[in-house]
Amino acid sequence: MTAVLHPRFAARRSAARAGTWWGKAWVRAVEEAAYAVEDLAAGRRLSRSGRIGQIEVDAGGFVAAVEDDGGVWTVVGAVPPLGEEERDALVETVAAEAGRVAALLAGELPHSLAEHAEEAGVELLPYGGELGTTCTCDAWADPCPHALGVLHQIAWLLDADPFVLLHLRGLPREELLARLHGRQGGDHQAAPAADPLAADPDLAVALDAVERARRVVELLEQDAGPADHLF
């Protein structure tokens, strides 16, 4: 599996709250994991300070650098990845209802998908005790404010793209699409698939819309001027 390096967030004047139901569920897990309210408040301040570097997400964990007045620290986090049988069950759950893949590609995590996955024995959203972190700072609390800052920014990543959650759980976008494509092709697939989206034009349209939206966000963050040409 390939790690994905997500762009760093610029400084924000006000607290950015998770806006989606799954982003809010992630934040609840972060709050459960925190040792003290003061640590949570410090973590939120760091999350919007612009002093957290790019977050690298891979199956089962993440890593990021965090700067404060005391120096630069490295935060490493762990989220339990799904086992092979759980990943198979999740793929079946996604394929069981039309429109679920298109919803994921459009940045939505259907509540019914999470519910049906849970019924199949697959817990997508972690609880507080599953969020493990370490930091190179000398704080005794785990997670420390640096780790809590990174965890809050991950909620923003989840808000924008639920595939980040699936990636952390061990099923990144490319693998899910490839498995779905292979499932549709069955034993009749004679050659390697050139494009998992080729068999479904609706998915291709959804993915194109997502990529355009991401590019607009990048240009706005870089203050690159009007992005009307992307529409």
Side-chain angles (χ1 to χ4, degrees), residues 75-142:
V75 171
V76 178
V79 181
L82 302 176
E84 182 61 31
E85 291 185 0
E86 292 173 312
R87 292 199 297 273
D88 289 341
L90 181 56
V91 172
E92 292 299 320
T93 303
V94 173
E97 187 172 305
R100 283 179 172 171
V101 180
L104 288 170
L105 289 169
E108 295 291 331
L109 178 62
H111 205 284
S112 63
L113 170 56
E115 289 180 338
H116 293 165
E118 185 175 353
E119 292 171 1
V122 180
E123 294 282 353
L124 283 179
L125 287 155
Y127 56 87
E130 290 184 306
L131 299 178
T133 61
T134 60
C135 182
T136 55
C137 74
D138 57 1
W140 62 268
D142 179 19

Side-chain angles (χ1 to χ4, degrees), residues 102 105-106 197 200-212:
L105 289 169
L197 301 177
D200 193 334
D202 290 340
L203 299 188
V205 171
L207 181 57
D208 180 69
V210 172
E211 295 304 326
R212 287 172 180 267

Side-chain angles (χ1 to χ4, degrees), residues 19-126:
T20 62
W21 73 264
W22 59 92
K24 292 176 181 178
W26 176 274
V27 170
R28 283 195 296 273
V30 174
E31 292 171 346
E32 291 172 3
Y35 180 79
V37 173
E38 293 78 11
D39 290 343
L40 270 174
R44 291 193 187 100
R45 287 194 297 271
L46 274 172
S47 71
R48 62 179 186 269
S49 68
R51 305 179 80 178
I52 296 178
Q54 295 174 302
I55 301 176
E56 182 179 290
V57 170
D58 206 347
F62 57 89
V63 61
V66 182
E67 180 185 5
D68 64 10
D69 294 340
V72 179
W73 319 102
T74 300
V75 171
V76 178
V79 181
L82 302 176
E84 182 61 31
E85 291 185 0
E86 292 173 312
R87 292 199 297 273
D88 289 341
L90 181 56
V91 172
E92 292 299 320
T93 303
V94 173
E97 187 172 305
R100 283 179 172 171
V101 180
L104 288 170
L105 289 169
E108 295 291 331
L109 178 62
H111 205 284
S112 63
L113 170 56
E115 289 180 338
H116 293 165
E118 185 175 353
E119 292 171 1
V122 180
E123 294 282 353
L124 283 179
L125 287 155

Side-chain angles (χ1 to χ4, degrees), residues 129-203:
E130 290 184 306
L131 299 178
T133 61
T134 60
C135 182
T136 55
C137 74
D138 57 1
W140 62 268
D142 179 19
C144 68
H146 305 115
L148 289 167
V150 176
L151 286 166
H152 273 97
Q153 285 201 354
I154 290 177
W156 305 346
L157 294 177
L158 299 185
D159 264 353
D161 184 3
F163 274 107
V164 175
L165 174 61
L166 300 187
H167 195 170
L168 284 168
R169 284 302 207 182
L171 190 64
R173 175 196 305 258
E174 293 76 10
E175 181 178 344
L176 174 60
L177 295 178
R179 286 193 181 207
L180 290 170
H181 183 80
R183 183 180 179 278
Q184 292 174 352
D187 295 334
H188 299 291
Q189 187 174 345
D195 183 357
L197 301 177
D200 193 334
D202 290 340
L203 299 188

